[in-house]
Amino acid sequence: MSAENVHVDLAGRSYDILIGQGLIAKAGELIAPLLKRKFVAIVTDDNVGKFHLEPLQAALTAKGIECRHIILPAGEKTKSYAELARLCDALLDAGVERRDAVIALGGGVIGDLTGFAAAILRRGVNFIQVPTSLLAQVDSSVGGKTGINSPLGKNLIGAFHQPVMVLADLDALATLPQRQRAAGYAEVAKYGLLGDAKFFEWLDMNVDAIMQGDVAATAQAVKTSCEMKARIVAADETETGVRAMLNLGHTFGHALEAATGYSDVLLHGEGVAIGMVQAFGFSEMLGHCPQGLSRKVADHLRRAGLPTHVSDIKANLPPPEQLLKLMYQDKKAEGGKLTFILARTIGESFIAKGVEESKVLSFLHADVAKQGLARP
Ligand SMILES: NC(=O)c1ccc[n+]([C@@H]2O[C@H](COP(=O)([O-])OP(=O)(O)OC[C@H]3O[C@@H](n4cnc5c(N)ncnc54)[C@H](O)[C@@H]3O)[C@@H](O)[C@H]2O)c1
């Protein structure tokens, strides 16, 4: 299969997303033209490093590129002040100079952290994304949002810093655990749900193939997702408007992630899956969309093996009042008011600012009470 190229059009910060098989093996020839000198530092985590670091290093050194590498602990907790400091010092110690490039080899955690380190190291060095999780290939590696979590909330410390290239090697997904594949699938479905009903229909026919690792179906899903993200990012790079739509399900989902301590109890994509069903349910309650769509969304996501209701979370959740408080840490909160991405139908969402707290609370109470009913 030949590689697909999705262009992110951002004037002087434009770049290409290459999607295909065997791209890590070709990384030397693909990356060499972007380097000012034949040197890179690779940042990865201890899961991804086991499988993909050596092949990447081999491909780079075969083209005469000197490689240093830094391996960080896998997991969301790595997006922290402490690991950021450790990483910046390690990159300086590895000899990264102002005009060098840093490669993020891993999922969204490594991409977000490395991108942020690249944004602030020597006031900004180039970085290249080599996303290895489905979530990172369809979402986090594209668009230049980088950052870490604060104890007060997720992704609250960060910068916009676009990569100079994204290499999405579909072969890397072969080593991705199935639960992580499902979590990434939630973001794929998000694109259909928020703005492309035809894509959602296609996903409904292809979800099983994608989850079983079918390369052609996965390639199509990654490409369509990246095309939509590239379009939205080109229109609104720093999220002053339409880019916020990409947060469908995230206000609800982030609160659930915070309530479960950003841990393996609930992966980011799993929080988004539950959050998207809630966003459709809330839209139904407010009369914005026809009844029954949240059920349809849940049925679809469940086929990917995703949780779709708070009762699927294996932890004691705080009461709705506490979840509401957690929502105020959402980056979209403005002037102390909550913003939600709500739906008119599948494939058509909109930004709802200043949503009344009492309505959110009554939805959350009703949603908890639906325990058991959410399942067919
Ligand atoms: N910057 C953005 O625009 C953006 C968008 C969406 C999500 N995010 C962030 O992305 C993060 C979630 O990303 P994620 O789901 O990729 O998490 P992750 O980076 O933690 O990866 C998930 C797990 O899979 C492992 N893994 C990744 N690729 C693998 C592979 N090929 N083989 C074996 N194991 C592999 C990782 O080691 C990790 O244990 C969150 O922090 C979220 O906030 C950022």
Side-chain angles (χ1 to χ4, degrees), residues 207-261:
V207 53
D208 303 331
I210 294 168
M211 290 311 299
Q212 284 156 18
D214 180 280
V215 177
T218 306
Q220 186 60 45
V222 173
K223 182 173 172 250
T224 308
S225 301
C226 286
E227 281 170 347
M228 187 184 295
K229 181 140 188 193
R231 259 198 319 275
I232 292 176
V233 167
D236 177 21
E237 183 181 7
T238 55
E239 197 167 313
T240 52
V242 66
R243 186 166 177 174
M245 303 266 259
L246 293 171
N247 289 313
L248 176 65
H250 284 57
T251 308
F252 289 110
H254 278 168
L256 296 171
E257 274 187 273
T260 48

Side-chain angles (χ1 to χ4, degrees), residues 335-352:
K337 297 261 192 231
L338 293 170
T339 297
F340 286 86
I341 310 307
L342 298 179
R344 291 195 214 286
T345 184
I346 285 176
E348 198 183 327
S349 56
F350 65 98
I351 301 167

Side-chain angles (χ1 to χ4, degrees), residues 72-217:
L72 300 173
E76 186 69 32
K77 294 210 161 42
T78 293
K79 272 174 62 173
S80 66
Y81 288 113
E83 292 295 342
L84 174 70
R86 214 159 70 90
L87 175 58
C88 288
D89 287 342
L91 290 170
L92 292 171
D93 192 49
V96 175
E97 296 174 359
R98 175 70 186 84
R99 289 158 71 82
D100 285 335
V102 174
I103 299 180
L105 172 70
V109 164
I110 289 298
D112 281 12
L113 173 66
T114 306
F116 188 36
I120 58 178
L121 197 81
R122 298 187 186 279
R123 299 203 176 85
V125 300
N126 281 341
F127 91 113
I128 294 162
Q129 291 269 21
V130 183
T132 60
S133 69
L134 181 59
L135 185 138
Q137 295 194 350
V138 299
D139 193 356
S140 63
S141 67
V142 177
K145 275 192 185 177
T146 72
I148 58 170
N149 302 325
S150 149
L152 293 179
K154 211 173 140 59
N155 297 329
L156 293 182
I157 314 295
F160 285 97
H161 188 52
Q162 299 292 343
V164 292
M165 175 178 265
V166 181
L167 287 187
D169 188 338
L170 300 167
D171 291 339
L173 301 178
T175 59
L176 186 70
Q178 194 64 6
R179 184 180 171 198
Q180 296 291 349
R181 194 177 182 96
Y185 183 81
E187 302 278 9
V188 174
K190 178 188 79 178
Y191 292 107
L193 292 172
L194 78 88
D196 189 343
K198 278 214 164 71
F199 182 45
F200 187 76
E201 264 173 43
W202 181 87
L203 287 173
D204 217 32
M205 287 185 293
N206 288 279
V207 53
D208 303 331
I210 294 168
M211 290 311 299
Q212 284 156 18
D214 180 280
V215 177

